[in-house]
Structures are given as structure tokens and as C-alpha cells.
Amino acid sequence: MTRVLAVADADSYLKWAAGLLDTLPASWPTEMAVVRTPIAPSESQIAAAVSGTRVAGTGQETLPAVVSSRQLRKNAERFRPDVVLLACTGPVVDVLAADILADLRPRPVFVSGLPGISVPATEKAWLFRSGCDLFVVHSGREVAEFSAIGRELGGGGGVALARLPYLDLGAPAPQGARDRVIFATQAKVPRRREEREQVLLALAALAANRPDLDVVVKLRARDSERQTHNERHHYERLWTSMVAEGRVREDAVRFAAGPMHEHLTHAAGFVTVSSTAALEAIAQRVPLLVLSDFGVSAEMINLVFEGSGSLGTMEDLAKADFRMPTEAWCEANYFHDASASDWVDRVSGLVAAAQAGTLVPARSVLDGPEHATARRRARLRLEVPPKVLRYGYRAKRRMRRYLKAF
């Protein structure tokens, strides 16, 4: 019996962790918590993130709790996990593995990974997770690229393959016709306000050209909520301004949150600039467009869709010209057969080695005095209440006074 504690710090990582736990053997007891940081999800975001998953074997009757780092440590000491799944942003993974949970006894196997499309692989993602014994990614290409980075930089353990858990979620049968077009937002791209306004104008044009379609902007977070990455120009806020300026009709599109897999059951088409939700649309056989108007590059986080047959323009969007990717692209990118996934077997092997006393724990590349300051700053995000941190650099003196109180 292998006990697994999952820790998340943001909505996208929580969704990923909940899905991964569902792929574990049912006999493995699991527990999940959200560690408190400035980007911790709201209760509604937590509910959406775990929707459709079992959160298997936790015995939790309510949603995963948001806990302080100190409480997380206490929970870990009580639960005594064999495995800790660190489903968090990079700096938080580093601090949890190297500091807050480092001296748990017996030492658990530390597992981390990335919750979506990770092409191209980056050194930064590896460095922050190099203190973990296993790094989980979701395509053969990602395994090869991160393995090469690991050999070059050192640290860390192995790289394992898992199907993205969102791709296998069961969805309720759609009630009525598929009559929606879902636009999945991405917090990081496009960056410029005018580019985001162009997307909204294209959606408004689609609504005018196809009044039979319900055009929905699916939000990861409302304007008042936090998410994994800061969103400077929130689409709902931009739309309100454009309505006030008379540039769009207020009811041309609508904004909604909630679980993506539920929205897709009603979708006739799907569009995004870059989002892992595109893979969810493919899994549910929803025709899609990945907009290429702002470029196809690593910076736009859409490079992986080259050659898929899914790239298109805002002109295509206005005409509702959606399409499905090629079978060859799907097989090479994220839609491999489930039997190719080896992450559960790899975890089992690591746990067996740990129990036999033969596991050599991963050593972080970030250990050492040259990284100590950055690690202390990351720990502040876990120990200082978010309301204090939000004052930022303008209130350093106030933060110093707060810290002296400890």
C-alpha cells in the first residue's frame, strides 16, 4: 500500500494533481492540500479544478483545504506519505522539497511535473524541480527534451510519461444540440491589450455572422481571482470597456467560468491562442482553431501545434472555420496509447527502492549558497500571508515590521 500526498499551489496545478491521483491504483490512499500562496485558488476555482475527478481514497468530504506551510508540514507528519506529488509552480516545488518537507522521516519519494503543454522544454522548469526524484511530462517529445536538459544540467531523477489526465475525464452527455463556440483564454498570451481586443472583435464578428451559435469566453479566473500567471489585460474587463466605447454589442458574447470539460459537451467549436484546453477539445472531438495571427513560437506557447492542421486566423474564426488535427500529430503529441505511460510503475519502483534503503535521493541543482537568497524569497510566499505580500516593494518597511513580530 503506497500513500500519496498531493500538494498544489494554483488552479492549473490543482486540476492536474486531481487528475493524476485518479490514475493511481484504487488501493493507494491519497490526500490532497492546497498550500497558501498569493496565487492560491478561490473556493469556486478549487471546485472547478477537481470537478470530474475522484480525489481517490482521500476520505475528504469537502474540497481540498488551503493550508499554511506549517499546517502542510503537520499534515505530512500525520499522513506519513510514501510519495509527495509537488504539483506547484517551480519556486514553491524547490522550497517544499529542499526545506519545508525535506527532513520528513521516512523520506518520501518526491514527484513533480508540469500540468500542460511543455514544448519546448525549458531549463528553468528543470532547475526548480531538480530536487525531485521523478519529473512527469505528457508526450514522448517532452520526455526526450527534458531528459536531454537533465543530462546537461545534472540534478533531479528520471523523466516519466503520463497521459494528461484531462484527456480521459468522463463527461456527461450534452443536453440538447452542440451550439456553443468556446474561447479558452490564456493569461500570458497575447500580451498586448490591442491584440486581446482584436480577438474579442473576431468573436463579436463570429456572433454577428452566426447568430445560431452561443459564443462563450471561458475564463480560468474572474477578474477578482488569482491564477497561476498574472493576467494584465483581463478579457472580461476589456469587453466592458469596449461595450462602453460602442465597439461591440454587450450581449454578443458571454463570459463563464467552471469546468472546461462541462463546457465542451455543448461545443460546436473551440478556439484559443494557446491553452492546454485545446487538447481537451481534441479529446472530446470538438473542431478547433489555434490562432496564429500573433505568431507561432515558444513565446506564444503554441509551437507544438505546428503541423497539426489546427492553426488558423481570426478571419477563419469569424467564419466559424474550425478543423480537427491530423491523426499523425495526435499520436506524436499527447494522445499516445495509455499503455505507454510509465509514471505509476516508475513511482512504484522508487518507493520500493526507498523502503529497501537503496534509493539515492535526487539532489537539487539549486542547493548552494549562491541560490540561498532566492530560496528565502520563495519561502516568504509560503509563510507571509498573501495580503501582506500584495503590498509589494512599496511597503518593505511594513513587511519588515510584520516579520519582526515572529
Side-chain angles (χ1 to χ4, degrees):
M1 184 173 62
T2 300
R3 304 170 70 83
V4 182
L5 171 64
V7 185
D9 70 340
D11 60 321
S12 59
Y13 282 94
L14 176 60
K15 179 179 178 180
W16 179 68
L20 279 183
L21 291 186
D22 268 7
T23 68
L24 295 174
S27 60
W28 290 17
T30 63
E31 190 167 297
M32 181 184 292
V34 178
V35 66
R36 186 185 66 193
T37 71
I39 60 171
S42 67
E43 186 172 327
S44 62
Q45 287 175 297
I46 292 173
V50 303
S51 172
T53 67
R54 293 180 288 117
V55 190
T58 62
Q60 294 174 201
E61 298 179 357
T62 59
L63 296 175
V66 178
V67 300
S68 68
S69 59
R70 295 179 184 180
Q71 185 60 52
L72 174 65
R73 170 69 190 218
K74 292 178 181 178
N75 290 355
E77 290 173 345
R78 170 188 53 77
F79 187 63
R80 294 177 61 83
D82 301 292
V83 179
V84 176
L85 173 61
L86 296 176
C88 303
T89 49
V92 174
V93 170
D94 178 57
V95 169
L96 290 175
D99 190 352
I100 293 170
L101 302 177
D103 59 348
L104 288 174
R105 293 294 180 268
R107 179 192 182 276
V109 171
F110 287 109
V111 178
S112 191
L114 296 169
I117 294 169
S118 305
V119 173
T122 66
E123 293 183 357
K124 186 176 181 181
W126 177 264
L127 288 171
F128 280 124
R129 296 167 178 83
S130 59
C132 294
D133 304 296
L134 194 66
F135 188 97
V136 180
V137 292
H138 304 289
S139 74
R141 177 177 176 180
E142 292 177 355
V143 169
E145 291 187 6
F146 275 109
S147 295
I149 288 175
R151 288 191 296 269
E152 179 182 352
L153 299 181
V159 182
L161 178 65
R163 269 178 70 92
L164 272 168
Y166 331 132
L167 306 187
D168 299 316
L169 280 179
Q175 302 297 313
R178 288 181 175 265
D179 58 357
R180 298 180 191 173
V181 171
I182 309 298
F183 170 59
T185 64
Q186 217 285 351
K188 296 174 69 175
V189 295
R191 299 183 187 280
R192 297 166 55 196
R193 175 180 180 136
E194 53 267 34
E195 292 173 335
R196 290 176 169 240
E197 290 178 343
Q198 289 172 34
V199 174
L200 290 173
L201 288 171
L203 291 170
L206 170 64
N209 294 336
R210 293 288 304 272
D212 58 313
L213 293 174
D214 179 16
V215 181
V216 179
V217 178
K218 164 56 175 77
L219 303 170
R220 290 288 298 274
R222 292 290 184 177
D223 200 12
S224 61
E225 295 176 317
R226 300 302 302 269
Q227 50 186 317
T228 307
H229 304 287
N230 289 326
E231 188 166 15
R232 182 178 180 185
H233 303 296
H234 194 278
Y235 281 100
E236 194 168 19
R237 191 182 339 125
L238 291 178
W239 183 261
T240 299
S241 298
M242 293 168 70
V243 169
E245 295 165 0
R247 299 170 64 189
V248 292
R249 197 180 74 247
E250 183 174 9
D251 61 352
V253 307
R254 64 186 178 90
F255 294 79
M260 175 60 75
H261 67 95
E262 293 181 4
H263 284 283
L264 288 172
T265 62
H266 303 278
F270 173 93
V271 61
T272 189
V273 175
S274 171
S275 174
T276 302
L279 303 178
E280 295 183 67
I282 296 168
Q284 293 202 32
R285 307 298 298 172
V286 177
L288 72 154
L289 274 175
V290 178
L291 297 178
S292 60
D293 302 79
F294 312 113
V296 179
S297 65
E299 291 72 25
M300 291 303 299
I301 327 175
N302 59 3
L303 192 61
V304 72
F305 291 103
E306 270 191 323
S308 68
S310 300
L311 293 170
T313 66
M314 287 184 283
E315 184 177 345
D316 296 323
L317 172 59
K319 296 184 294 186
D321 183 10
F322 302 103
R323 63 284 304 259
M324 290 299 295
T326 66
E327 290 297 326
W329 182 89
C330 288
E331 290 177 7
N333 296 277
Y334 306 103
F335 290 90
H336 58 271
D337 189 272
S339 63
S341 297
D342 64 352
W343 89 279
V344 175
D345 289 341
R346 299 280 293 278
V347 167
S348 295
L350 289 168
V351 170
Q355 292 174 345
T358 59
L359 177 66
V360 178
R363 183 172 180 81
S364 175
V365 179
L366 300 181
D367 287 344
E370 65 272 27
H371 303 292
T373 299
R375 190 171 277 171
R376 283 196 298 271
R377 288 174 179 168
R379 180 157 184 163
L380 278 179
R381 293 172 61 83
L382 292 166
E383 295 190 337
V384 178
K387 288 182 179 180
V388 176
L389 279 177
R390 287 185 189 123
Y391 287 111
Y393 293 106
R394 300 176 189 174
K396 286 183 178 179
R397 291 181 181 175
R398 188 175 300 176
M399 182 175 285
R400 288 194 189 103
R401 288 199 299 270
Y402 178 89
L403 293 174
K404 285 179 180 177
F406 285 92

